[in-house]
Each structure stands twice: as structure tokens, then as C-alpha cells.
DNA sequence: GATGTCATGTAACGTGTTACATGATTTA
DNA sequence: TAAATCATGTAACACGTTACATGACATC
């Protein structure tokens, strides 16, 4: 499927970038739904070059330090355009370790369960607040053709996802308190 | 981290099972937040056996067909109990290919974008309906100590997640229609 | 001169998917 | 007797993470 390939090509359509810059993009906004380490990115860029989807030229900053700035080719654009149009079936539901813990939570005392839930809740609230702060930068909805539109949509999606996760945790806490462990099986 | 290990141990606490039965569990309810193929499960069971977390005895159905029924050991229970108590930091946000497509959706015409969104919406609605049908089986909230309680919580979580995803898609459709591609950058 | 950022790469390992491979038992 | 289900395993490959490895440049 090579999703990383298309994530990189999509970024390079906006502007030519170095591997280092691509890695940074993945750790800022994109991190809300995609991520890759530089150890994955550099080999992928090599592969994309050998396939003719990208080309690079070397830039020198200072006296020695080299950076490869990659540009997407026509072939790369064509391939990306075909990919983004495909409507695919739903992915397998992503693995969620906390949900796995909750699935087995009958093995915990009520106190421990609620402690785990509260801890998780706090972390999601923190993340939600961070996301909301970023979202405040959008004073209006960007035009659907602007390259900030996608960013706006996924940021909104990330906020909704966090709010929803917190709502689920709150339900879990409520049910745990209503049905203390001493209830009959 | 070995999450699969704990997923298997957690199932074996409920009752002794064969590898085949474990695989089936993963493809029914657990599939809403966890999944593993039999090609992952059998080697993991072998490893758990060599580590002393589980033991098995061979059952024969019919004349020849052998099945290994695995039972969790005290060591396995102890290890699982320690694992479930750990409060961990949030996982990295799971990768979501559809969100990746939407991030780059300024490269699409409005029509194609809305087509993708509608298709995705339909699939989530179908899944939601399936989940709701399963949820109807719970006429009341199971006791917090019953082994159906975890199942109840994650099923409720899956329903909320699907409803929320649909709500996000609806927002995306709305914004796409409000801001047609012809708007000025 | 120390720390942080820029910049690129490889190696080892862990996890996950698809395909290959085999055969017994049950049910329609 | 054909198809579905029961039952177990391996191999090859794809994807992802952590660690190893190196060095330049900028700022305090």
C-alpha cells in the first residue's frame, strides 16, 4: 500500500523539501494522524528517487553542510493524484492499548480502575487543550482549495476525537462507580 | 512492550483456550480495538509456553485431530496483573489513511472530495449499525466485576467512536460545500 | 566552549500481513 | 461428496521503532 510514499509526495506537492523538513512536518500538525521517523523517511526518499517520483538537488549551507532538496516529478504527481482519488474500504480499527486494558478491567479493583481512567482522562484533556490552542489560529474557515484547508479539517477532527475519547472515559468512570465490585455476578 | 502477550494472557484468565479459539475471539468483539492473525498467535503461544506463562495439554477430537488447550500459569497471572495496573502515557495517535487523504484534499475537485467523504460515511454508518445491534443484547449494565463488563465498555466506546467519526465527516462535507474550490486563495 | 538545531544515514529488532502448506471433522 | 469449519504451523515481506553513528552550523 505504501502510505508513507503518498504522505511524502503530498507534502512535496506543496513545496520542495529536504528529508529533515519532512520529518519536522510529521512531528508537528501531521502528528495528529500520521508520523514517521527520519530513519523511515530517508530510505523512502531514496526509493522514490530510484523510481523517478522525485528528484533532488544538493544545497550547501555554510561551507560544507549538505542538504538534499527533493522536488516531485510529473510521474510523482500523476501517481499521487491517482492514489488520493481511490475510495478505499475502512481500515482495520486501530489497536488501542488502553481499550485493551479496559476490556480486561474486571481483573482490577474499582479503585485501581478509576485511577487508570482518571490518569488517562488527564492526559487527553491536556492534549485537547493543546489542540484547541492551535485551532484558535484559524479565525475563519480556509478556502477549500487552499493548502490550509486539509490542515483545518484534520485539526478539527483531532479535537472532536479527543472530546469523544474523554466522554467515553467519563462514561467508564460513571459505570464503574455505579456498579461497585461487590455486586453479585 | 509485547501487547499481544497480554491480550492472550487476559483471554486465558477467563478460561483455557486453543490457539484457534483465541484467533476467533480477536475476530469477533475484540476486533473493535484489537486484532491478530493466527500466524502471529501460534508463535506467541509457543513463546509464552517456553517462558512458563502458559501450559497446554492436547485434546483429541474424533480420531486424530489434535488441539492444544492452553492454560495460564500463576507466573502468567502475576505478570498480567502487573501489566494491567501500569498507567501508561498516551500512545502515538494511530495512523489514519482517510485523514491523510483529507489533509491533502485541496488537490481534489469539490465533487471528488465529497464523493470520497460520502463513501466513507456510508461505511461508518454500516459499521455503527452492526455495533448497535450487538449492543442491544445488553439489556442492563453488567456488574463491574463480571467478565462482560469490559466487553460492554469497549462496545460502548466503539459506538461513540463511530458516531463521532460520522459527525466529523459531516462537518467536512459541510465545509467543502460552503467553500467551493473557486473561492479566492 | 557548550548546547541546540540542522542534516543524513544504517542496523537491529519488534510487530503485523499475506501467502504457503497441510490435513481432519462436521454439516448440508 | 462438496463446502464449511476446526486446527496448526512456517516463510516472506512490509512497516515501524530504537539505537547507533557522524558531523556541521548557530547561538549563548
Amino acid at each position: 500500500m505504501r502510505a508513507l510514499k503518498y504522505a511524502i509526495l503530498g507534502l512535496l506537492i506543496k513545496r520542495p523539501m529536504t528529508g529533515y523538513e519532512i520529518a519536522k512536518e510529521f512531528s508537528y500538525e501531521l502528528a495528529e494522524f500520521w508520523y514517521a521517523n527520519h530513519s523511515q523517511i530517508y530510505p523512502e526518499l531514496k526509493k522514490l528517487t530510484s523510481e523517478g517520483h522525485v528528484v533532488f538537488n544538493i544545497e550547501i549551507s555554510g561551507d560544507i553542510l549538505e542538504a538534499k532538496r527533493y522536488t516531485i516529478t510529473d510521474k510523482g504527481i500523476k501517481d499521487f493524484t491517482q492514489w488520493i482519488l481511490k475510495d478505499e474500504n475502512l481500515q482495520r480499527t486501530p489497536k488501542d492499548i488502553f481499550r485493551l486494558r479496559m476490556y480486561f478491567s474486571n481483573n482490577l479493583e474499582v479503585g485501581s480502575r478509576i485511577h487508570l481512567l482518571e490518569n488517562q482522562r488527564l492526559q487527553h484533556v491536556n492534549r485537547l487543550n493543546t489542540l484547541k490552542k492551535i485551532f484558535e489560529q484559524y479565525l475563519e474557515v480556509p478556502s477549500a482549495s487552499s493548502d490550509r484547508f486539509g490542515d483545518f479539517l484534520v485539526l478539527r477532527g483531532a479535537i472532536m476525537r479527543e472530546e469523544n475519547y474523554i466522554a467515553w472515559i467519563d462514561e467508564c468512570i460513571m459505570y464503574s462507580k455505579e456498579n461497585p465490585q461487590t455486586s453479585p455476578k
Side-chain angles (χ1 to χ4, degrees), chain A residues 107-138:
Chain A
N107 295 292
L108 290 171
E109 319 156 20
V110 205
S112 309
R113 182 171 0 194
I114 288 174
H115 179 76
L116 284 178
L117 284 159
E118 298 279 14
N119 171 58
Q120 204 74 6
R121 189 183 196 285
L122 184 67
Q123 292 190 64
H124 280 283
V125 167
N126 288 152
R127 189 197 280 254
L128 175 60
N129 288 334
T130 308
L131 292 171
K132 276 183 171 168
K133 214 155 266 172
I134 299 168
F135 193 71
E136 279 170 17
Q137 293 167 6
Y138 288 94

Side-chain angles (χ1 to χ4, degrees), chain A residues 37-122:
Chain A
N37 286 299
H38 75 272
S39 57
Q40 247 189 305
I41 293 165
Y42 290 121
E44 186 64 38
L45 282 169
K46 216 174 197 177
K47 202 174 175 186
L48 288 172
T49 305
S50 74
E51 291 166 341
H53 291 110
V54 300
V55 290
F56 66 86
N57 57 306
I58 292 170
E59 282 178 3
I60 295 181
S61 28
D63 290 324
I64 301 167
L65 191 64
E66 290 187 355
K68 295 180 181 169
R69 187 161 299 273
Y70 288 87
T71 307
I72 191 167
T73 61
D74 287 346
K75 191 182 172 191
I77 292 174
K78 204 175 159 187
D79 199 348
F80 176 84
T81 309
Q82 274 170 25
W83 170 79
I84 202 174
L85 268 168
K86 259 185 281 176
D87 24 307
E88 264 166 13
N89 294 333
L90 257 40
Q91 303 172 242
R92 176 109 54 208
T93 309
K95 294 187 172 166
D96 184 331
I97 290 181
F98 186 70
R99 287 184 205 249
L100 185 66
R101 275 200 172 77
M102 285 305 107
Y103 183 74
F104 293 126
S105 67
N106 63 95
N107 295 292
L108 290 171
E109 319 156 20
V110 205
S112 309
R113 182 171 0 194
I114 288 174
H115 179 76
L116 284 178
L117 284 159
E118 298 279 14
N119 171 58
Q120 204 74 6
R121 189 183 196 285
L122 184 67

